[in-house]
Amino acid sequence: MRITQRLTGIGASQTMMVMQRAQELRSRGIDVIDLGPGQPDFPTPDAVKQAGIAAIDANFTNYTPAAGILELRQSVADTYNRDWGTRFDAGNVIITSGAKHALFDACMAVFQEGDEVLIPCPYWVTFPEIVKICGGVPVEVPTDERDRFILSPDEVSARVTPQTRGLVVNTPNNPTGAIIPPAHLAELVEIARSRDLFLLFDETYDRFTYAGKKHTSLAASVRDSDEAYAIVGSFSKTYSMAGWRIGYCVGPKPLIAKLIEFQSHQTGNPTSVSQKAAVVALQLGAKAFEPMRVEYERRRDYVLKALDGINGFRCPQPDGTFYVFPNVEGAMKATGMGNSHEFSNFLLQEARVATVPGSAFGLEGYIRLSYATSLDRLQQGLERIRSVVS
Ligand code: PLP
């Protein structure tokens, strides 16, 4: 069978592969501590679950409009208007089957063969793959551990060529937890405006920031006249609804109208029942995500302290998400591992702890650990790592 060129360069998501490998070992009765997961370990809030059940009971189980139900689109717009002083309405919003889907829709609309798209590195595994599927060429923009992986506008400027069409900004960042400060964000917006770049802004982890650090949305900077941006968000992490598959894209109306046309031929619409549940999630707001944020902060502080005591680990402080991204070059050397993939495998085999190698995010010498796992399991996992590395 012939597979298209579009898909031959695409591999399975390495984060998902780690989850699978950990699952396989567990099914053989092996106690694996999974520090790989990219999803909350909290249940979906009860009121949200009840809204989903009520939607099924009320037979709200048919197609919805391709753009999503008006009530949810308007609620997303209202949330932005309240938080960032924007003047969005439902016409600025499309509901999608998760943020991943929103990113894919937006890239399909604006990138084509040969377009260069700047992607800060390390990056969430899916960004370069989506750009490639759309015919674009991902161009890495390095960030540095010494700057706590905060994206430098100068590094972005230096990589703009006549072929550059877009810039991906993910803040708080997966995998590093870095938050782009407002002044940097303002500079990035200016670069995008002056160099005619499409700004694809992913704020999937916007509600999970720590130690008083705050996230700034691109929404705070957009003008009514801006035509080339998309703000993507997700219900997966904020409301612990990963399996419900609801995300959204907020943007200028002509772009959103095109995405709606595309979606009408693609998934048709996001799941009806999940949309009703998502309306209630937005009504809950901070009541749903703040308790998770507080618990993540407690775990983050613990993990940073514990990693400090492991030989060959050095961890820059993350300000957001639920990941840490330690430099493990010293530990790799001490254990004779040649790269982060080998080191992750070593940790899985020897310590029975699942992690994701930095290479999955485009950067060697690091691993990603998720603290979306109970404090108890984190303590056990980090102790196991400490003992096999020492
Ligand atoms: N964007 C980033 C940066 C992510 O880390 C993830 C999931 O891990 C997503 C998007 C996808 O979220 P969703 O479950 O809404 O598709």
Side-chain angles (χ1 to χ4, degrees):
M1 185 186 63
R2 191 204 68 175
I3 299 290
T4 60
Q5 243 179 355
R6 254 193 319 273
L7 294 194
T8 42
I10 306 300
S13 155
Q14 282 206 48
T15 46
M16 291 203 170
M17 278 161 62
V18 170
M19 269 166 77
Q20 260 171 23
R21 223 175 309 137
Q23 205 97 49
E24 272 162 34
L25 288 174
R26 262 206 225 102
S27 68
R28 297 193 346 235
I30 297 167
D31 173 34
V32 174
I33 297 177
D34 192 357
L35 303 186
Q39 60 180 334
D41 58 317
F42 299 95
T44 301
D46 224 30
V48 176
K49 289 197 255 187
Q50 292 312 319
I53 291 165
I56 294 174
D57 285 342
N59 295 315
F60 191 74
T61 50
N62 289 324
Y63 295 134
T64 74
I69 57 175
L70 199 56
E71 192 185 5
L72 182 54
R73 294 171 72 200
Q74 188 61 50
S75 299
V76 171
D78 290 345
T79 305
Y80 274 86
N81 296 343
R82 183 200 64 205
D83 291 351
W84 301 110
T86 46
R87 287 180 296 171
F88 293 137
D89 62 38
N92 295 103
V93 181
I94 179 172
I95 306 302
T96 56
S97 302
K100 203 177 261 191
H101 179 212
L103 292 164
F104 188 75
D105 279 357
C107 289
M108 282 293 278
V110 298
F111 300 136
Q112 60 192 17
E113 246 24 71
D115 287 344
E116 291 180 4
V117 180
L118 304 177
I119 302 180
C121 176
Y123 44 72
W124 175 51
V125 291
T126 296
F127 290 132
E129 305 305 278
I130 292 181
V131 166
K132 282 191 271 175
I133 291 170
C134 297
V137 181
V139 175
E140 292 180 9
V141 181
T143 62
D144 197 306
E145 181 192 335
R146 285 166 297 186
D147 306 323
R148 296 168 58 234
F149 294 112
I150 293 171
L151 176 63
S152 146
D154 290 343
E155 293 286 349
V156 171
S157 273
R159 281 162 186 81
V160 178
T161 73
Q163 284 72 46
T164 312
R165 271 283 293 146
L167 167 66
V168 176
V169 173
N170 170 215
T171 180
N173 178 275
N174 176 6
T176 65
I179 293 179
I180 296 184
H184 281 45
L185 186 57
E187 277 188 63
L188 293 170
V189 169
E190 268 325 300
I191 293 169
R193 279 190 190 125
S194 63
R195 309 297 290 269
D196 204 14
L197 307 183
F198 185 89
L199 197 42
L200 183 57
F201 190 81
D202 180 330
E203 55 183 355
T204 289
Y205 298 90
D206 57 350
R207 304 296 183 176
F208 298 127
T209 66
Y210 311 116
K213 295 279 175 10
K214 293 274 177 261
H215 165 73
T216 306
S217 175
L218 174 64
S221 311
V222 293
R223 301 182 190 137
D224 290 347
S225 56
D226 284 332
E227 289 178 344
Y229 71 92
I231 300 170
V232 170
S234 173
F235 285 71
S236 296
K237 329 282 174 176
T238 310
Y239 299 103
S240 202
M241 294 177 68
W244 297 75
R245 307 308 301 132
I246 295 289
Y248 57 82
C249 178
V250 174
K253 286 182 177 173
L255 172 72
I256 297 299
K258 190 43 81 184
L259 301 192
I260 294 168
E261 285 172 12
F262 178 43
Q263 186 151 280
S264 75
H265 298 292
Q266 189 202 35
T267 59
N269 60 265
T271 306
S272 60
V273 170
S274 299
Q275 292 186 67
K276 284 288 191 188
V279 170
V280 172
L282 284 180
Q283 285 163 2
L284 284 180
K287 276 194 215 123
F289 56 74
E290 185 59 14
M292 290 193 276
R293 194 202 66 78
V294 169
E295 177 58 19
Y296 288 145
E297 180 157 1
R298 195 164 78 100
R299 296 177 190 172
R300 181 200 76 137
D301 293 348
Y302 168 76
V303 169
L304 286 174
K305 216 190 263 165
L307 289 177
D308 215 26
I310 300 180
N311 281 340
F313 276 57
R314 186 180 67 221
C315 192
Q317 182 163 302
D319 291 326
T321 71
F322 39 70
Y323 310 111
V324 288
F325 196 62
N327 181 314
V328 293
E329 281 166 335
M332 278 164 46
K333 215 176 198 178
T335 52
M337 299 297 133
N339 56 45
S340 58
H341 185 76
E342 284 179 21
F343 186 65
S344 258
N345 267 335
F346 167 82
L347 292 179
L348 189 57
Q349 295 304 326
E350 301 300 318
R352 302 294 186 213
V353 177
T355 60
V356 186
S359 55
F361 309 99
L363 196 60
E364 263 308 340
Y366 294 80
I367 57 171
R368 191 192 75 176
L369 307 174
S370 160
Y371 47 91
T373 304
S374 73
L375 199 52
D376 222 31
R377 293 294 275 172
L378 278 169
Q379 282 166 345
Q380 286 176 42
L382 291 167
E383 178 47 34
R384 286 191 195 179
I385 292 178
R386 198 194 57 75
S387 72
V388 298
V389 167
S390 299

